[in-house]
């Protein structure tokens, strides 16, 4: 794993000049709200240049979490492998939406319990829309041992970093991050509980999630099996899936390269919080695209220094991040 990222806070010295530039474009001397905040921070990132959004990319890291196999009656929302193949074959509404918004979409197999090598033609002949970065067929079950080894954590973060670096080399300056797969929310919930030093059952009750008591007790037993720590990377090592590890590496690399970061779902927000514990200045590059009214998102983003949000993470897959990109495009165009 890369030992150090050179993540610098944006230089705020040209703030007065940027505010005047925005005033020239809008003729509004006192203008508050999400759009102005995003326009101002976009200009700060790129000053003195006047940049537009270039080659935006949506990275979806797909992996299954080891905890999911305890839930025999779990609902099947959608089959991740089928969703990926539908996208590659242009059979999904999401593929049409991404094409109309001129977004590069990359599906990254971080650790799905699916043998995609049997569909090898899709990731050879579809350019680089599907990237095979599989770390295993799902993460380990943290009820038995940590979700991944320390080596796997470093390797997964490196792979997430490498995907972002390759996009940057192709001219991208904006990235939307998301996840797919089964059980990822369980890992995020365990991480959330460990960071706040609470029992998962307490957070489940606080968020109003309707779970059977036996499932809440199972989550509590998982946290009791592992050492108590406040180190975010050790917590990620103990409870997170491969998708979360790659998302964390992707966020760190994107901030290092001064790219705009749009977290598109709750997994991306969890990875963002872990990265912020290491480099708080990452918040300068984050354009928050998940509805903060949602109780889970609100809890995760409690310490994130960004205003507002774009509804709604309950909308169809990928919509929230794409909606956030539309708002950022408007914000980036204000100062031009």
């Amino acid at each position: 794993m890369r030992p150090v990222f050179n993540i610098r806070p944006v230089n705020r010295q040209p703030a007065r000049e940027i505010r005047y530039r925005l005033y020239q474009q809008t003729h509004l001397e006192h203008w508050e709200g999400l759009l102005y905040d995003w326009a101002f921070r976009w200009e700060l990132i790129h000053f003195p240049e006047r940049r537009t959004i270039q080659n935006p990319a949506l990275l979806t890291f797909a992996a299954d979490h080891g905890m999911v196999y305890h839930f025999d009656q779990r609902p099947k929302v959608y089959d991740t492998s089928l969703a990926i193949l539908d996208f590659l074959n242009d059979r999904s509404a999401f593929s049409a939406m991404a094409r109309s918004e001129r977004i590069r979409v990359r599906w990254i197999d971080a650790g799905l319990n699916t043998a995609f090598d049997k569909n090898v033609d899709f990731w050879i002949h579809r350019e680089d829309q599907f990237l095979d970065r599989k770390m295993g067929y799902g993460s380990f079950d943290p009820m038995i041992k940590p979700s991944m080894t320390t080596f796997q954590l470093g390797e997964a973060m490196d792979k997430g970093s490498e995907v972002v670096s390759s996009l940057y080399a192709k001219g991208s300056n904006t990235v939307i991050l998301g996840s797919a797969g089964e059980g990822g929310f369980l890992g995020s919930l365990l991480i959330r509980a460990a960071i706040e030093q609470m029992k998962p059952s307490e957070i489940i009750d606080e968020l109003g999630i309707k779970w059977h008591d036996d499932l809440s007790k199972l989550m509590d037993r998982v946290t009791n099996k592992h050492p108590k720590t406040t180190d975010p990377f050790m917590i990620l090592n103990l409870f997170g899936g491969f998708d979360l590890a790659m998302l964390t590496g992707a966020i760190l690399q994107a901030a290092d390269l001064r790219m705009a970061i749009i977290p598109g779902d709750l997994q991306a927000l969890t990875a963002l919080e872990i990265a912020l514990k290491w480099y708080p200045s990452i918040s300068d590059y984050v354009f928050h695209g998940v509805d903060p009214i949602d109780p889970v998102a609100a809890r995760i983003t409690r310490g994130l220094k960004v205003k507002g949000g774009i509804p709604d993470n309950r909308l169809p897959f990928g919509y929230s991040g794409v909606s956030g990109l539309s708002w950022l495009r408007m914000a980036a165009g204000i100062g031009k």
Side-chain angles (χ1 to χ4, degrees), residues 127-145:
E127 298 179 355
D128 53 354
Q129 292 180 82
F130 179 81
L131 305 179
D132 186 1
R133 300 293 185 270
K134 188 185 289 291
M135 297 292 301
Y137 289 89
S139 63
F140 299 134
D141 180 359
M143 190 67 188
I144 302 172
K145 58 182 178 179

Side-chain angles (χ1 to χ4, degrees), residues 25 29 41 76 107 130 185-186 217 245 287 289:
Q25 296 296 321
E29 187 172 354
R41 290 196 296 115
K76 192 75 171 179
W107 294 88
F130 179 81
F185 176 75
L186 302 174
K217 291 176 181 177
F287 296 85

